[in-house]
Amino acid sequence: MSKKTSIPGLGFYQSNTAVKWVVLIVSILISTGSIYYTKILVDQLKGRERQQVQLYAKAIEYTANEEDTYGDVNFIAQEILFQNNSIPIIQADAHGKVLSYRNLDILESWPQKRKEEFLRSEMTVMKETYEPITVTLRDPQTGEVFGTQFIYYKNSFLLKQLIAYPYIQLSVIALFGFISFLAFNYSKMAEQNRVWVGLAKETAHQLGTPISSLMAWMEVIREDSDMQEKGVVEELEKDIQKLRIVTERFSSIGSTPTLKKENVVTLIHNVVNYLRPRVSSKIRMEVFTLSDNIYANVHAPLFEWVIENLSKNSVDAMGSTGTIAIKILRGNEGKVFIDVSDTGKGIPRSKIDSVFRAGFTTKKRGWGLGLTLAKRIIETYHNGKIFVKSSEENQGTTFRIVLNAA
């Protein structure tokens, strides 16, 4: 059973999935509660406005049907009819002719035709919004019905604002959440960048002293003829040179590297030739290309580091036997494609999106930084892409690198 090694300082970012779900659920509850409560208020206000319009209609009906009600009419006009200064209302006869209107945005300077067209349009909207209220006209003497009128109305401006309020509120909350998310991601990336730069610079600094010491010891060993005959000096020189390359890689992580036109086929062969004697003899490493001259804009030490990391991951995935195949080809639109394939255990579908995340590893030992560094080097420093092209469990995995051709 493999054990995952976590990196200090990255635990918060790896364990915040539950927090995100909690925040999402709480946000949904708040949003639902806000909309539900606003709906209750809207329904209550709708009921009050209809009651007010009904009272308005009753007042019109009363003044039209009763005799000798001068004082009452004056009271009704002042306390009921003229108190409605918010609900848009149109009073029309049975044939749809407008008799009066209130609280509509009509300018006195408008021509009569424009006013009539506007009122007809508003009446259509009011019909679709609410059922009109009927005003029955009776003869004051006989009580006989001689006509009907209708009161059309729609929501007041206040009610419209209340209906729109929760959606405006949710939009503001969503915008705030989006900005907060961007700020959080930016701060996360900035913090990770500081960690990468600090770690890289410190590692390069720490490697400097032992490399200098090893170079001095090499001079001592070189004077020993027995050691020279055994080929030890040559192998040690290769490893010292490799350490110097590693130091340069870490130094480059902390600054913006300069990209140059390089033959990627040659660079990949350099990595493969270095790794072959250092991995199991049962692991085959093969390079396939249609041309030995494929150029791209790269920083050679960092690019070789990416190929080395991918190759080492492939070795870990295969164990003691298998094949690593690296294919190099020219793509369309000035791109270079590099596929690194292995015959290892593959990556489960549920884990593919996590392989480049810092701290992700299935090995018993390791910090899970290899693929994270590879992604940073290719996408940040080389303006390219790296992704899992394909993977099947117990079949193998293929990573694809996309670079800009030179």
Side-chain angles (χ1 to χ4, degrees), residues 224-293:
D224 189 331
S225 58
D226 294 336
M227 287 295 185
Q228 290 182 353
E229 293 175 0
K230 295 179 180 178
V232 175
V233 174
E234 288 76 10
E235 291 302 318
L236 285 176
E237 284 181 339
K238 289 180 182 179
D239 286 332
I240 290 175
Q241 179 61 26
K242 181 63 176 178
L243 286 173
R244 295 178 68 179
I245 293 174
V246 170
T247 303
E248 184 180 353
R249 290 172 178 173
F250 277 110
S251 297
S252 300
I253 285 290
S255 58
T256 303
T258 302
L259 305 183
K260 295 181 181 179
K261 180 179 179 180
E262 301 279 1
N263 188 339
V264 294
V265 178
T266 301
L267 296 179
I268 289 173
H269 274 296
N270 291 341
V271 175
V272 171
N273 292 336
Y274 175 81
L275 291 177
R276 272 197 183 115
R278 289 166 174 78
V279 299
S280 171
S281 58
K282 296 181 180 180
I283 292 179
R284 295 171 56 194
M285 298 188 69
E286 301 175 343
V287 178
F288 300 95
T289 179
L290 297 177
S291 171
D292 290 330
N293 298 297

Side-chain angles (χ1 to χ4, degrees), residues 117-167:
E117 290 176 353
F118 178 82
L119 289 171
R120 281 197 297 269
S121 174
E122 286 294 303
M123 191 183 301
T124 301
V125 172
M126 292 177 178
K127 284 180 182 179
E128 295 174 352
T129 305
Y130 295 111
E131 182 181 352
I133 298 172
T134 304
V135 176
T136 304
L137 302 179
R138 292 183 173 85
D139 188 293
Q141 299 294 332
T142 63
E144 182 181 355
V145 176
F146 64 87
T148 56
Q149 296 178 357
F150 296 95
I151 304 297
Y152 300 92
Y153 74 101
K154 64 179 182 179
N155 295 331
S156 65
F157 181 68
L158 176 63
L159 183 55
K160 289 180 180 178
Q161 286 182 310
L162 188 59
I163 293 173
Y165 171 74
Y167 302 100

Side-chain angles (χ1 to χ4, degrees), residues 36 59 65 90 96 152 170 180 187 200 237 263 283 295 298 315 334 341 358 364 373 376:
Y36 178 74
N65 295 338
I90 293 178
Y152 300 92
L170 292 180
S180 299
S187 63
E237 284 181 339
N263 188 339
I283 292 179
Y295 292 88
V298 299
V315 171
S341 305
K364 294 181 179 180
L373 281 169
R376 179 182 177 85

Side-chain angles (χ1 to χ4, degrees), residues 202-240:
E202 181 62 21
T203 303
H205 176 72
Q206 294 293 336
L207 284 173
T209 301
I211 289 175
S212 299
S213 178
L214 285 172
M215 292 175 66
W217 281 109
M218 274 296 303
E219 295 301 322
V220 175
I221 296 173
R222 188 177 282 113
E223 295 176 358
D224 189 331
S225 58
D226 294 336
M227 287 295 185
Q228 290 182 353
E229 293 175 0
K230 295 179 180 178
V232 175
V233 174
E234 288 76 10
E235 291 302 318
L236 285 176
E237 284 181 339
K238 289 180 182 179
D239 286 332
I240 290 175

Side-chain angles (χ1 to χ4, degrees), residues 9 14 29 65 73 96 108 135 137 173 201 245 253 289 311 332 347 354 362 371 379 404:
Q14 293 172 354
L29 291 176
N65 295 338
V73 169
E108 292 300 326
V135 176
L137 302 179
I173 292 174
K201 290 293 188 183
I245 293 174
I253 285 290
T289 179
S311 299
N332 297 327
I347 305 171
S354 304
T362 57
L371 291 177
E379 297 189 356
N404 296 312

